Each structure stands twice: as C-alpha cells, then as structure tokens.
C-alpha cells in the first residue's frame, strides 16, 4: 500500500513539473577566481514548477563527489520531479573543483544563490525562500554557505544528506579535506572549514539525513552539526537510518527511500 501510494504521488509530481529545464553558464563573463582548469566550467540547470502550483520556494542543489567529481544524477537532476511537483524550483549546480584553490566551490555556490534571486521575479521565486541542499562533499559546501555566507548569497534553509561537516582528522572525509584544503593545511584553515564551529543564531534551519552504517563519511559529522544547531536554538531535524551506507541520494534501492521522501516532504511543508 505504501509503495502504491508513493508511486501515485511520484506520478502526480512528474506530471505537474512539466516545464523545460533552463541551462545557464554561471559566470558568462568569466569566474571571479580561476581554478586553473579552463575546461571546468560552472553551470546551473533550472527546473521550474508549473506556474499554477509554484509556491515561491527554490532550492540550489550541490551534488557530492569529494571535491573531485560530481554525482550529478542521483544527487542532482533526478531530484527535479520531487521538488517541482511540490511547487518548488530546483537549481542544480555544477560547481567547479578546487584544484588547490579552496575559494572556488563556495564562490560558485554563492553566485548560484545570487543568480536565483536576480531572476526571482521572472521565475516566480520569493527571494526570502531560497535554500541550499548538498550531498556528502556537496553537503560540506552547502553547510559552508549556510554558516559563512551573507546578504544575497545567504540561504534561508538547508537540506543536508550524509554531509561532510568537519575538517578534523578522524572525523572528516579525508579525500574531501585533501582536495579542498591540501595535504597539510594549517590549524586556522582547518578551523575555518569545520562548519560545526561556525553555527550561530542566524544559521538557517536544517534537515539532515544520513545512515548509521556510513563508512565513507562518519555519521558524527551530521550529528555534531545537529548538536551545534540545537545549542544555538536553530530549528533542525535529524534522520539517522539504520542502514544505507553512503551516497544513496534519491535512489529507490535505498531501503528507506519511501520514508526519506515522505519525511522530507513533510519538513518542507513546515517552512
């Protein structure tokens, strides 16, 4: 019965989300900071809901990949029907890899947020309802923006899946840390990108989902971030599923896929 209900809800969502996606170069006049790779271009794909169901909300999505590559499908484009079916615009960000220049991914994410707000009227988006979503290393990027960015680049809410949060040895995902900060980062730099240390009362509310048996990114990353949010009285929801490992995204092979979809949908209604 549950599966039948979910399939029906998914079908309704896909039918409602019938607008053709818009692809855009994030930096048409060239990026603010060069990462040294001319073939690595930042782009966004904009999925807009049908105007009759648009509720003004938008989500900028940052796929994961250890700051080395991007899982653009199950942590990006495949989420479009879920969001547009609820009247929410989804903006999938292909951000650039750092290649030793740590500022690059965050600059791309911040520009994506600004781009959404620049097009707010055209895309029927409320500039005060633009959130950030990220998976794994993309979750680190999303939480970096949520805890560091201000003004038109700030997020109004955040959605994090099995996120890298800390850059501390033994807690972080080593590949993400090395690719972003280098092999031997200084203590000041490590602290700057330990996002649990930068949560404050103005950090946006959060939905966090992860699996207990994640062997790639220790669950303590998401749990520690949740504790920091609670300590600062920021509304937060944490879902720890018994199994699922790392990188399940929106894949239906994830044992708790249905529960995740329903719980995230319910949380979105509270915004």
């Amino acid at each position: 019965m549950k599966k039948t209900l979910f399939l029906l809800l998914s079908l309704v969502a896909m039918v409602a989300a019938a607008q053709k996606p818009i692809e855009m170069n994030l930096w048409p006049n060239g990026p603010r900071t060069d990462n040294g790779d001319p073939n690595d271009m930042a782009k966004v794909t904009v999925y807009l809901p049908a105007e009759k169901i648009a509720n003004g909300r938008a989500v900028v999505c940052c796929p994961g990949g250890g700051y080395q590559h991007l899982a653009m499908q199950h942590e990006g484009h495949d989420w479009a029907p879920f969001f547009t079916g609820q009247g929410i615009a989804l903006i999938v960000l292909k951000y650039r890899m750092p290649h030793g220049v740590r500022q690059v991914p965050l600059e791309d994410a911040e520009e994506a947020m600004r781009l959404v707000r620049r097009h707010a009227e055209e895309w029927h988006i409320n500039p005060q309802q633009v959130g950030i979503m990220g998976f794994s290393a993309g979750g680190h990027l999303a939480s970096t923006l949520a805890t560091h960015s201000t003004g038109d680049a700030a997020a109004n809410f955040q959605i994090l899946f099995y996120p890298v949060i800390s850059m501390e040895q033994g807690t972080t995902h080593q590949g993400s840390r090395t690719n972003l900060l280098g092999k031997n980062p200084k203590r000041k730099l490590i602290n700057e990108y330990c996002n649990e240390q930068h949560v404050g009362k103005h950090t946006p509310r959060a939905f966090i989902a992860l699996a207990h048996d994640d062997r790639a990114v220790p669950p303590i990353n998401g749990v520690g971030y949740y504790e920091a949010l609670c300590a600062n009285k920021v509304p937060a929801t944490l879902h720890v599923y018994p199994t699922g490992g790392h990188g399940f995204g929106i894949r239906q092979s994830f044992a708790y896929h249905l529960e995740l979809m329903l719980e995230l949908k319910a949380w979105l209604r509270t915004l």
Side-chain angles (χ1 to χ4, degrees):
M1 182 62 183
K2 276 189 175 182
K3 288 186 177 180
T4 302
L5 176 60
F6 180 70
L7 289 172
L8 287 172
L9 290 172
S10 298
L11 179 60
V12 170
M14 285 186 281
V15 171
Q19 293 209 35
K20 185 178 179 180
I22 305 165
E23 295 185 1
M24 303 175 67
N25 185 343
L26 186 63
W27 301 100
N29 299 316
R32 180 184 307 168
T33 302
D34 188 357
N35 70 349
D37 184 354
N39 297 315
D40 187 11
M41 298 178 63
K43 300 178 180 179
V44 293
T45 304
V46 182
Y47 295 92
L48 298 176
E51 287 186 27
K52 63 182 179 181
I53 66 167
N55 60 22
R57 196 166 295 137
V59 173
V60 172
C61 175
C62 304
Y67 285 121
Q68 183 181 47
H69 62 276
L70 293 176
M72 293 297 295
Q73 291 305 130
H74 72 287
E75 295 179 352
H77 300 295
D78 293 348
W79 282 87
F82 173 82
F83 284 102
T84 58
Q86 298 175 71
I88 302 170
L90 180 70
I91 297 85
V92 179
L93 172 63
K94 178 192 172 295
Y95 57 93
R96 293 171 297 147
M97 299 299 98
H99 297 310
V101 187
R102 63 182 181 277
Q103 302 94 326
V104 165
L106 182 59
E107 286 187 4
D108 287 355
E110 289 184 332
E111 182 62 15
M113 298 293 283
R114 295 189 188 101
L115 181 144
V116 171
R117 291 187 166 108
R118 288 198 298 269
H119 289 270
E121 183 175 355
E122 174 189 352
W123 294 344
H124 305 286
I125 290 169
N126 180 345
Q128 303 303 316
Q129 286 291 317
V130 183
I132 190 79
M133 176 168 77
F135 303 77
S136 192
H140 182 265
L141 176 56
S143 62
T144 302
L145 185 142
T147 53
H148 291 67
S149 302
T150 59
D152 287 346
N156 298 113
F157 57 91
Q158 55 183 316
I159 302 169
L160 307 176
F161 291 86
Y162 36 88
V164 179
I165 297 292
S166 176
M167 286 286 119
E168 293 286 357
Q169 292 280 21
T171 300
T172 190
H173 174 251
Q174 190 61 47
S176 297
R177 170 177 148 139
T178 301
N179 290 328
L180 183 65
L181 304 183
K183 291 183 179 180
N184 297 296
K186 294 182 178 179
R187 167 48 55 185
K188 183 177 180 181
L189 189 59
I190 293 171
N191 291 346
E192 179 65 18
Y193 286 88
C194 282
N195 293 329
E196 74 281 5
Q197 297 182 20
H198 299 280
V199 172
K201 63 181 181 179
H202 297 299
T203 302
R205 63 178 57 208
F207 177 98
I208 306 167
L210 50 91
H212 175 74
D213 63 348
D214 191 333
R215 299 291 180 258
V217 176
I220 192 62
N221 280 264
V223 174
Y225 192 62
Y226 172 76
E227 290 179 342
L229 291 164
C230 289
N232 284 274
K233 296 181 171 53
V234 176
T237 296
L238 174 65
H239 294 280
V240 181
Y241 299 100
T243 61
H246 188 75
F248 47 81
I250 199 171
R251 287 173 173 156
Q252 293 190 29
S253 58
F254 175 47
Y256 301 93
H257 173 76
L258 174 58
E259 288 82 356
L260 172 60
M261 296 295 97
L262 293 175
E263 286 160 351
L264 178 54
K265 187 172 183 179
W267 181 81
L268 288 165
R269 288 199 299 268
T270 70
L271 297 178

